[in-house]
Amino acid sequence: MKLYLSIDDTDDIESKGTGEIAEEIAEIIDENKIGKISAVTRHQLYIHDDIPYTSHNSSMCFEIDEVNEKDYDLIISLAENHLKKESSKLSDPGLCICDINKIDSKLLIEYGFKAKSEVLTKEYAYALAENQNIFLKEYGGTGDGIIGALAGIGLRLSGNDGRFKGKHKIKNGKYELEYLINNFKMDKIYDITTEKYLKNNSINLEGKIKTVLLDGKRVLPVFNENGNYYNCTKQQLRKY
Amino acid sequence: MFEYINDHKIFKYGLNNYEMSRIAAKNCINFKADHEYEQVDSELISCYNCIYRRWKSKTIECMKNASKLI
C-alpha cells in the first residue's frame, strides 16, 4: 500500500508547530519499520477572515510507501496517539490518512485546490472522505482541522503544490547542477524566469536552500540574473 | 506602521511591502520568529516572519497585545 498522511490545525501561537508534529509522526513510523516515509510538504490553504486559523492556514502532508496492509491500523493508531499528545489544547486538530491506490485522485485534487480559494465546511470534507473510504478524524476543539488535512492530501497528490519542510545544508558557493542532484535531496532544478528545467548549468547557492513540489518532483527553484543562476529567496518561494 | 481598525492592529502596507515589514519588526520589542517553514521573508526580522502575525486577504494583523502602535 502507498499511504498519504496529512494533519492540520494542531498548534497555537506558543506551541510546537504542525510541521514538527508531522515530522515526528513520520519518524515514529520510520522507527517502527512499517513504511518508507517521504519528506513533509507544507501546503498553503485559503486566507480568509471567515476561516479561524491561527496565523497562516497551512497543512502538512507526507507519503508512506511500502506499507503492509496488516500495519494500516497500527499507522492510524501511532499517528493519532502522537497527535493527541502533542497538539495544543487550544487547537482544532484533524488527521487524514488514505491509500492512494483506492481513491479517485481527481476528486481529492479538485478538493485540495478548492481549499485554496474557497471557504469549505466540515460536512463537505466528511462527505468526500466517506465517499472515498478515507480515514478522516478530528481530535478536539472545533475539529476544523479535518478540512485542511483532507486538502493536504489532495494538494500533495496533485504534485504541484507546496514547499518541502526544512532546508538543505549546503555551503554557500557555486555548484554544478549534476552535483546538486546527485548529492542532495532534489530531483530537478527549475528556472522560474523561463519556467523551464535546467540541464547543464552552474547554480550559485546562498542562504536557505528550499525545495518545492513541482510536477511530482522535489525541485530547487532558481532565478537568472545577468546570466547567472541563484537559488530563490523566500519571497520568491512564497507562491508555492 | 500599524493602525487600529475595529480593535484589530492592522499593518498599513499590505502583503508585499517587505521593506516596511522589516522596519516595523526592527522597532518592535515583541518580534518572535515563526517556524522556519512559515517564513516568507529572507530577512528574519520582519513582521511577515513573526509568529504573532495573522495573514489576512490584503495584509497582516498583529495578534500580540501591544500597548501602543509602532
Side-chain angles (χ1 to χ4, degrees):
Chain A
M1 298 171 93
K2 183 171 184 178
L3 306 179
Y4 276 31
L5 187 154
S6 177
I7 60 172
D8 187 26
D9 223 330
T10 68
D11 59 355
D12 66 62
I13 283 175
E14 305 290 351
S15 72
K16 184 186 281 184
T18 303
E20 280 70 36
I21 295 178
E23 226 163 45
E24 288 165 1
I25 294 171
E27 279 164 21
I28 290 167
I29 291 165
D30 189 47
E31 283 163 11
N32 279 270
K33 299 184 180 6
I34 47 177
K36 189 180 168 192
I37 56 145
S38 72
V40 171
T41 43
R42 178 245 187 230
H43 301 274
Q44 180 66 56
L45 306 174
Y46 194 27
I47 296 294
H48 192 280
D49 291 349
D50 289 347
I51 303 174
Y53 51 85
T54 311
S55 58
H56 25 63
N57 200 24
S58 58
S59 61
M60 302 288 161
C61 186
F62 62 93
E63 302 170 12
I64 317 164
D65 207 354
E66 300 172 17
V67 175
N68 193 315
E69 253 179 73
K70 72 175 175 54
D71 293 324
Y72 177 71
D73 289 340
L74 176 59
I75 286 174
I76 290 177
S77 158
L78 291 169
E80 61 182 5
N81 285 345
H82 194 70
L83 198 64
K84 282 193 260 185
K85 191 173 119 199
E86 297 297 333
S87 292
S88 158
K89 301 289 176 249
L90 302 172
S91 68
D92 312 301
L95 168 67
C96 186
I97 301 176
C98 79
D99 178 346
I100 59 153
N101 294 314
K102 289 182 180 169
I103 56 160
D104 181 344
S105 54
K106 198 179 156 199
L107 284 178
L108 262 290
I109 292 168
E110 193 179 279
Y111 172 88
F113 281 101
K114 260 189 183 178
K116 289 175 82 74
S117 59
E118 290 179 33
V119 180
L120 302 179
T121 63
K122 272 169 58 176
E123 290 71 26
Y124 181 40
Y126 274 131
L128 177 59
E130 192 179 346
N131 174 268
Q132 293 293 305
N133 203 21
I134 291 169
F135 177 87
L136 184 65
K137 195 170 171 184
E138 59 188 77
Y139 299 90
T142 65
D144 279 346
I146 62 134
I147 299 168
L150 185 62
I153 302 256
L155 292 167
R156 175 94 185 209
L157 261 174
S158 79
N160 279 304
D161 188 87
R163 306 192 286 264
F164 281 88
K165 184 181 175 296
K167 51 190 184 291
H168 292 274
K169 287 173 187 162
I170 311 172
K171 281 182 187 170
N172 289 354
K174 195 169 190 173
Y175 297 87
E176 291 304 312
L177 177 148
E178 200 179 321
Y179 174 82
L180 291 173
I181 288 174
N182 289 338
N183 291 282
F184 298 97
K185 288 178 180 171
M186 53 183 82
D187 302 314
K188 287 180 166 190
I189 297 182
Y190 179 76
D191 177 3
I192 63 163
T193 323
T194 59
E195 299 187 337
K196 285 182 180 163
Y197 288 104
L198 299 183
K199 288 179 183 167
N200 294 301
N201 301 82
S202 298
I203 317 291
N204 294 284
L205 297 181
E206 194 180 304
K208 290 180 178 158
I209 315 301
K210 302 277 295 179
T211 46
V212 302
L213 182 61
L214 204 59
D215 296 327
K217 303 284 184 193
R218 188 167 188 166
V219 171
L220 175 71
V222 299
F223 67 97
N224 190 318
E225 194 174 87
N226 301 324
N228 294 309
Y229 288 103
Y230 299 88
N231 58 294
C232 286
T233 62
K234 284 191 167 172
Q235 296 90 304
Q236 290 168 315
L237 295 176
R238 195 168 152 181
K239 66 177 181 178
Y240 292 99
Chain B
M1 298 285 174
F2 286 83
E3 60 187 339
Y4 278 102
I5 300 175
N6 298 328
D7 290 334
H8 293 272
K9 189 181 172 188
I10 304 296
F11 184 56
K12 291 201 279 188
Y13 302 95
L15 296 169
N16 293 298
N17 195 327
Y18 293 91
E19 191 184 348
M20 297 309 263
S21 173
R22 293 168 189 172
I23 292 170
K26 274 178 192 149
N27 289 297
C28 179
I29 56 166
N30 294 314
F31 173 82
K32 185 179 173 189
D34 199 352
H35 305 288
E36 192 274 334
Y37 49 88
E38 297 292 356
Q39 295 172 14
V40 298
D41 190 342
S42 300
E43 284 287 327
L44 180 66
I45 314 294
S46 168
C47 288
Y48 292 150
N49 287 342
C50 181
I51 202 158
Y52 297 114
R53 57 88 177 88
R54 183 177 195 271
W55 292 102
K56 295 173 73 70
S57 55
K58 290 182 180 163
T59 186
I60 54 171
E61 176 179 356
C62 177
M63 306 298 285
K64 186 74 180 174
N65 294 323
S67 59
K68 58 182 179 180
L69 292 171
I70 55 172

